[in-house]
Each structure stands twice: as structure tokens, then as C-alpha cells.
Amino acid sequence: MVISQGYSRVHLGKRKEEGEFNWSSETINLENQAIWSAVRDVIGQTFDPASFAAVVEKLKNNAETPVKEPVQAVSNVVTAIGLTEATKEMLLKNFLEEKDYTQWGMTNALTAIARELLAPDDQVNLETRASDIALMPPEAFIQVIEAKPKSAGIKRLIEGDGT
């Protein structure tokens, strides 16, 4: 599972535009020091034990959220995260075979599919979407899985827009 919660894309340094002033080596060295300092900050925050523990706690709290209607839940999750019909069949098969009808079980069924995908980008994308399911507050997860099939609001719910 790939969790990207709490962080956004960060661009460090600046692009040199055509015709821009040529900086001295001292200025370039100082800018490089600032960039490496920022890199250390990003790495430090990414691997912060307290942040990691908070994510683990959230996963534990969400894990046991029950799924009462597995077939409908799978259909709704597929709609919410935009999976193909073939992937839907794989997800349903995985979910039913494992018999873990919980939010965590749905997450595991998604990551099992990701392991079978050939393209690394597709794997990471599905593993990231699985983390969206795993980290979703239980109330929101229940809204998604119990929504009327093909509801236009499902996708908004999973993306955090409760409207």
C-alpha cells in the first residue's frame, strides 16, 4: 500500500530561464546548501515516527469497519476509484475468497490486484487508491459502500468531498 497522506509535491530549487543572470559559484553553492537542507527536512518529516504512528493508528481504527453487502460494496468502490470491469471482477473474486468483509479486507483485495499488474505506474496508482480506502473515516467508507449503485456522488465521497 502506498500512503501519500499529508504531503504534496515539492519542487526544490529554481529553473534557470534563458537570458537570466549568471550567478557566481558562491551564490550557486549557497543555493545548493539551501536545497539540500530542504531535502533533509522533507526526508525527516516523511519518516517521522510520530507521523507514522498516527497513520498506523488511523489504519487500526478503520480496519474493522464492516461490509454488509460485498457485491454492492465492490461495485461502489470500483465506481469510486475508476477501475475497469475486468479489474472489478478481480476485486470481487479477491474480496469474496478472503472472506474478510471489512474495510481492511477491501484494502487487501485492492493491493492483491496491484501486485498482479504489469506496469509499475498502474501498481503504484492502485496501491495509492487502496490507501485512500484504508484511511477513509469509517462513516465515509460506509457511505461509499452502501450508496446506490452507479451513484454520481460516490466518486466525490471517496475523494473527500462530502457534498
Side-chain angles (χ1 to χ4, degrees), residues 62-120:
N62 298 352
E64 296 301 317
T65 306
V67 174
K68 295 176 185 170
E69 299 289 333
V71 175
Q72 178 182 334
V74 165
S75 181
N76 288 352
V77 167
V78 165
T79 299
I81 62 178
L83 298 177
T84 65
E85 196 62 32
T87 308
K88 177 182 176 180
E89 295 301 319
M90 293 169 66
L91 179 59
L92 184 59
K93 179 180 178 288
N94 287 347
F95 193 56
L96 293 176
E97 282 179 359
E98 291 302 317
K99 296 182 173 111
D100 179 3
Y101 303 132
T102 64
Q103 189 169 351
W104 187 249
M106 184 69 73
T107 302
N108 283 332
L110 286 164
T111 59
I113 295 168
R115 289 190 299 273
E116 297 177 27
L117 299 177
L118 298 177

Side-chain angles (χ1 to χ4, degrees), residues 33-49:
Q33 287 176 16
I35 291 169
W36 283 111
S37 178
V39 167
R40 285 190 296 276
D41 289 347
V42 168
I43 291 170
Q45 290 176 31
T46 300
F47 295 101
D48 175 55

Side-chain angles (χ1 to χ4, degrees), residues 72 75-82 142-158 161 163:
Q72 178 182 334
S75 181
N76 288 352
V77 167
V78 165
T79 299
I81 62 178
I142 289 169
Q143 280 187 306
V144 168
I145 64 172
E146 293 182 358
K148 298 290 183 208
K150 305 287 183 187
S151 169
I154 294 173
K155 188 169 180 95
R156 289 193 309 269
L157 283 169
I158 202 162
D161 180 8
T163 60

Side-chain angles (χ1 to χ4, degrees), residues 50-65:
S51 296
F52 182 77
V55 170
V56 169
E57 188 62 28
K58 192 170 187 180
L59 290 171
K60 284 180 184 178
N61 291 338
N62 298 352
E64 296 301 317
T65 306

